[in-house]
């Protein structure tokens, strides 16, 4: 067993160990700290994987695309656990959740982590599907964790739509097997992603197109493409903020990752053109609808959720356009959006606990009342709106260039969507930062959330806007070559 | 693979599709559960038949799981659950029964058309079977859309999974891992569904999911 294999085994076994261990810890204070510690060891294992990767097997494979996302996922899971330390302690103090439910939280959170890692390192279309489904099931209960009327509704909706989406994705997976089976023979070979990709040029394009449609609609439900997005704003708004951060920053990425694995298969086939057009169509519609919806939000977390739909739309357009420019823009957007949006949910969580409300009309004049919070809150919003120096600016400009190069109309529509979304975000932000302060009931419990995770996210997002480190660039180049 | 064996497999999936239509016009929850149990039992037989036909003994495991869990355990558990919750047993259709059936027929035609347009010259028969599986999947969706009752939606969802398992076993030599995981996921899903049903019943005194709709959280400031 080489070092790469050890890293892989560590990455997949640490969440299990962590989950089992934390299930036995009754004291909330200790459990929250331990959880962050475990998440950090997972991050180390993920980093190790980036330095030494194992040989691909029929079940698992670590390639450049995987490595663009595995350390990122582990990092955000770690910072989310760090953020939860203050956030959940406050929820327990105020009685929003019971201390004894914290063990369930930790077990489910680690199951989610495990399934996300498994999806990222899988080399088998079946295993990938199982992993995405596991992630869905683990997060359903986390979304409904507050057990309020609204949280239950959101979780139920998420569960139904998520399950239906995942069922469609399975049908797509089966069709992919059907298309590969005549070439690779029966059994595991025809489910091994790297083998399927090798023979994709000879596969029946009509069957491949059909498979991609099902994958797009199935995984697209989890990504939150319009009109399959109905669960997304509710789930983000009603889930505890650490969960909203993980949903937006990580789970949407995982679903997108699975879809892009499908697109990589099509890339070598004549069916590739249809996959591109469909992605551009879904992406553009999601972007424009979400941008318009952003203007009329009254709830802070719903605003952020719609912004996620907007950014998923941008990625759809970017990967749809493809080519070196488009795929680069999409990948960079994917990475930076994860950092920015989960950071933004940290900021939102802190604001909500400080003011005791998530209504935008009640969040006014933060710069006067909570200047320190307001700086990070404002910076995170500006990053999500796509202002320089943050990475989303870089990726959106690159995408605009790529889109205009493909068709002037596409560039125009994209620019319109981006501008509306930008205006909406800035409009909402200015009121929250500089508006006339309103009287909110004073907080009953002190909020002790660390600002370090958010600051870290913003710092990395800013660095990625200016330059891409050599190692990450190497991984991205591999992925771009495969995306076609 | 001779004619008779194929005809038998065809008949089994055809009757399963028929059960999907039966699910569409049930007005009472126990009726829905019974129809689903029959469909699952048929699926179990269809999977066993494929096991014999393809000479793949591992498919018997799938068949066993389907028969034990989907045809017996889950229907019994659901019947017990609704008894314990003592909910009204009528299903309020959102869409009139006649129109639902009409939509069902259109969906069947659609899935046939989609599948016929993708013939791998060698595997026309397989495509027909896939068309039936797809029709079962789509009818499952229709049930979920047309019935706003939590139990009916559970049934619709599991009926979708019946169609998926049917498609998976007809894909020759598809590794067992998928079928087992589907069966397992249904089990987990049932646990989650059950949990939520208790909560929903707890909070709203009904399993009618229409009552969930009045909190969209987007009320004006």
């Amino acid at each position: 067993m080489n070092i790469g294999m050890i890293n892989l085994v560590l990455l997949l076994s640490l969440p299990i160990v962590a989950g089992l261990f934390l299930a036995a810890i009754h004291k909330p204070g200790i459990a929250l700290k331990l959880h962050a510690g475990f998440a950090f060891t997972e991050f180390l294992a993920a980093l190790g994987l980036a330095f030494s990767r194992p040989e691909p097997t029929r079940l698992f494979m670590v390639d450049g695309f995987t490595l663009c996302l595995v350390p990122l996922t582990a990092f955000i899971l770690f910072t989310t656990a760090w953020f939860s330390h203050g956030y959940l302690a406050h929820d327990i103090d105020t009685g929003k959740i019971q201390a004894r439910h914290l063990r369930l939280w930790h077990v489910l959170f680690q199951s989610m982590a495990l399934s996300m890692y498994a999806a990222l390192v899988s080399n088998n279309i079946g295993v990938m599907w199982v992993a995405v489904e596991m992630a869905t099931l683990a997060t359903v209960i986390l979304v409904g964790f507050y057990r309020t009327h609204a949280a239950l509704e959101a979780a139920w909706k998420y569960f139904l739509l998520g399950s239906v989406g995942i069922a469609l994705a399975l049908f797509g997976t089966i069709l992919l097997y059907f298309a590969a089976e005549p070439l690779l023979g029966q059994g595991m070979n025809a489910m091994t992603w790297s083998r399927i990709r090798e023979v994709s040029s000879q596969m029946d394009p009509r069957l491949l197109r059909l498979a991609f449609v099902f994958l797009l609609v199935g995984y697209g439900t989890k990504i939150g493409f319009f009109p399959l997005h109905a669960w997304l704003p509710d789930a983000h708004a009603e889930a505890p903020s650490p969960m909203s951060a993980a949903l937006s920053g990580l789970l949407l990425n995982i679903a997108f990752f699975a879809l892009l694995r499908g697109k990589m298969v099509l890339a070598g086939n004549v069916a590739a053109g249809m996959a591109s057009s469909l992605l551009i169509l879904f992406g553009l519609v999601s972007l424009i609808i979400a941008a318009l919806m952003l203007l009329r939000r009254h709830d802070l977390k719903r605003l952020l959720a719609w912004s996620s739909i907007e950014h998923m739309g941008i990625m759809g357009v970017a990967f749809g356009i493809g080519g070196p420019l488009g795929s680069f823009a999409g990948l960079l957007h994917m990475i930076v959006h994860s950092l920015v949006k989960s950071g933004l949910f940290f900021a939102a969580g802190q604001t909500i606990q400080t003011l005791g409300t998530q209504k935008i009309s009640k969040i006014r004049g933060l710069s006067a009342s909570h200047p320190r919070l307001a700086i990070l809150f404002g910076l995170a919003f500006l990053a999500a709106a796509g202002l320089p120096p943050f990475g989303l600016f870089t990726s959106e400009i690159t995408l605009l260039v790529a889109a205009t190069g493909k068709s002037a109309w596409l560039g125009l529509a994209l620019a319109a969507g981006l501008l509306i979304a930008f205006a909406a975000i800035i409009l909402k932000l200015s009121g929250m930062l500089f508006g006339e302060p309103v009287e909110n009931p004073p907080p009953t419990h002190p909020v002790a959330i660390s600002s370090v995770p958010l600051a870290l996210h913003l710092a990395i997002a800013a660095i990625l806007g200016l330059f891409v480190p050599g190692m990450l660039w190497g991984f991205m180049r591999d992925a771009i070559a495969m995306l076609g | 693979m001779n004619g008779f064996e194929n005809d038998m497999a065809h008949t089994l999936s055809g009757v399963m599709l028929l059960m999907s239509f039966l699910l569409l016009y049930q007005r009472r929850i126990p009726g829905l559960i019974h129809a689903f149990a029959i469909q699952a039992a048929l699926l179990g037989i269809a999977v066993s038949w494929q096991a014999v036909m393809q000479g793949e003994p591992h498919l018997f495991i799938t068949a066993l799981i389907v028969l034990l869990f989907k045809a017996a355990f889950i229907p019994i558990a659901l019947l017990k659950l609704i008894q314990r919750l003592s909910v009204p047993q009528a299903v309020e259709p959102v869409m009139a029964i006649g129109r639902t059936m009409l939509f069902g027929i259109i969906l069947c035609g659609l899935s046939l058309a989609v599948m016929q347009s993708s013939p791998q010259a060698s595997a026309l028969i397989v495509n027909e079977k896939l068309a039936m599986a797809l029709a079962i999947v789509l009818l499952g969706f229709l049930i979920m859309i047309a019935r706003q009752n939590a139990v009916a939606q559970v049934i619709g969802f599991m009926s979708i999974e019946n169609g998926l398992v049917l498609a998976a076993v007809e894909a020759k030599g598809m590794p067992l891992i998928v079928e087992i995981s589907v069966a397992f996921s249904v089990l987990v899903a049932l646990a989650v569904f059950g949990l939520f049903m208790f909560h929903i019943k707890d909070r709203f005194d009904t399993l009618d999911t229409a009552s969930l709709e009045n909190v969209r959280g987007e009320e004006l400031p």
Side-chain angles (χ1 to χ4, degrees), chain A residues 130 133 147 149 152-153 155 159-160 163-164 177-178 182 187-188 191 204 206-207 210 214 297-298 302 361, chain B residues 114 117 120 126 134 141 144 153 157 171-175 181 185 193 203-204 212 215-218 220-221:
Chain A
V130 171
E133 161 148 32
R147 299 178 195 219
H149 193 134
L152 277 180
E153 185 202 347
F159 181 49
L160 274 187
S163 307
V164 166
Y177 174 84
F178 260 98
M188 274 305 234
M191 297 205 73
D204 180 359
R206 280 183 290 188
L207 212 49
L210 201 60
F214 275 98
R297 294 306 96 187
H298 309 291
R302 267 167 211 274
S361 58
Chain B
V114 167
S117 73
Q120 263 172 313
V126 172
L134 180 60
F141 284 126
M144 291 183 81
Q153 286 178 338
F157 174 66
K172 265 185 279 167
M174 194 157 176
S181 57
S185 70
F193 267 129
R203 308 257 164 179
F204 315 117
L212 288 174
V215 268
R216 297 296 289 259
E218 263 311 324
L220 286 163

Side-chain angles (χ1 to χ4, degrees), chain A residues 306-348:
Chain A
W306 277 101
S307 154
S308 289
I309 299 179
E310 176 223 332
H311 284 291
M312 290 298 135
I314 294 174
M315 284 179 223
V317 176
F319 287 118
I321 291 173
L325 268 187
S327 297
F328 169 76
L331 271 179
L332 185 65
H333 205 89
M334 202 168 180
I335 295 170
V336 180
H337 172 257
S338 291
L339 290 163
V340 168
K341 190 51 62 64
S342 46
L344 202 43
F345 272 111
F346 298 162

Side-chain angles (χ1 to χ4, degrees), chain A residues 56-390:
Chain A
T57 67
R58 286 205 297 188
L59 285 181
F60 296 109
M61 169 192 64
V62 178
D63 64 358
F65 192 28
T66 307
L67 289 176
C68 285
L69 293 177
V70 164
L72 175 82
T73 304
F75 175 73
I76 294 179
L77 282 171
F78 161 57
T79 47
T80 305
W82 189 349
F83 165 74
S84 333
H85 177 255
Y87 185 90
L88 292 179
H90 184 270
D91 271 356
I92 292 173
D93 284 345
T94 50
K96 277 192 94 173
I97 56 177
Q98 287 170 315
R100 63 194 169 89
H101 289 153
L102 197 62
R103 289 186 294 151
L104 179 66
W105 170 278
H106 283 141
V107 170
L108 290 172
F109 198 89
Q110 287 301 326
S111 323
M112 176 183 79
L114 173 67
S115 46
M116 290 199 289
Y117 296 140
L120 288 173
V121 300
S122 66
N123 187 22
N124 182 298
I125 50 176
V127 172
M128 178 149 45
W129 177 83
V130 171
V132 176
E133 161 148 32
M134 249 178 72
T136 309
L137 289 175
T139 43
V140 164
I141 300 174
L142 291 174
V143 165
F145 210 71
Y146 284 147
R147 299 178 195 219
T148 58
H149 193 134
L152 277 180
E153 185 202 347
W156 175 262
K157 216 183 207 175
Y158 172 46
F159 181 49
L160 274 187
L161 285 172
S163 307
V164 166
I166 219 77
L168 283 176
L170 177 60
F171 204 79
T173 306
I174 294 171
L175 285 173
L176 208 52
Y177 174 84
F178 260 98
E181 188 244 11
L183 297 164
L184 292 170
Q186 298 177 11
M188 274 305 234
N189 271 341
M191 297 205 73
T192 307
W193 181 82
S194 54
R195 298 296 307 276
I196 298 176
R197 205 177 148 265
E198 280 163 20
V199 298
S200 67
S201 59
Q202 305 154 46
M203 281 156 77
D204 180 359
R206 280 183 290 188
L207 212 49
L208 267 189
R209 282 194 196 108
L210 201 60
F212 186 78
V213 168
F214 275 98
L215 289 179
L216 178 67
V217 178
Y219 288 132
T221 308
K222 296 229 61 193
I223 296 170
F225 280 143
F226 183 86
L228 311 160
H229 67 285
W231 63 273
L232 198 146
D234 288 10
H236 281 73
E238 303 306 335
S241 290
M243 194 51 222
S244 317
L247 268 182
S248 223
L250 300 174
L251 215 58
L252 303 187
N253 268 9
I254 301 294
F256 221 126
F257 175 86
L259 178 62
L260 289 177
R261 282 291 194 209
K263 181 176 186 276
M264 286 173 175
V265 169
L266 266 75
N269 192 283
V270 287
M274 188 222 56
S276 293
S277 318
L278 272 180
L279 267 174
I280 293 177
L281 180 72
F282 269 80
L284 201 59
V285 172
S286 306
L287 165 64
I288 288 171
I289 302 266
L292 293 172
M293 294 298 269
L294 279 174
L295 287 166
R296 293 183 49 88
R297 294 306 96 187
H298 309 291
D299 178 297
L300 176 57
K301 283 168 87 179
R302 267 167 211 274
L303 180 77
L304 301 186
W306 277 101
S307 154
S308 289
I309 299 179
E310 176 223 332
H311 284 291
M312 290 298 135
I314 294 174
M315 284 179 223
V317 176
F319 287 118
I321 291 173
L325 268 187
S327 297
F328 169 76
L331 271 179
L332 185 65
H333 205 89
M334 202 168 180
I335 295 170
V336 180
H337 172 257
S338 291
L339 290 163
V340 168
K341 190 51 62 64
S342 46
L344 202 43
F345 272 111
F346 298 162
Q350 193 171 351
T351 309
I352 290 165
Q353 285 199 338
T354 310
L355 300 180
T357 177
Q358 62 186 61
K359 282 213 171 81
I360 292 177
S361 58
K362 295 266 171 63
I363 304 171
R364 284 281 169 247
L366 272 181
S367 62
S369 56
H370 303 84
R372 269 191 60 195
L373 176 60
I375 292 176
L376 283 176
F377 184 80
L379 277 178
F381 257 92
L382 293 181
L387 275 190
F390 298 103

Side-chain angles (χ1 to χ4, degrees), chain B residues 105-116:
Chain B
I105 292 167
I106 293 173
L107 286 179
C108 280
L110 189 75
S111 46
L112 259 175
V114 167
M115 281 300 163
Q116 293 298 347

Side-chain angles (χ1 to χ4, degrees), chain A residues 7 11 41-51 67 70-72 74-75 117:
Chain A
N7 283 333
L11 184 70
T41 58
E42 286 163 29
F43 173 52
L44 290 182
L47 268 189
L49 208 57
F51 284 98
L67 289 176
V70 164
L72 175 82
F75 175 73
Y117 296 140

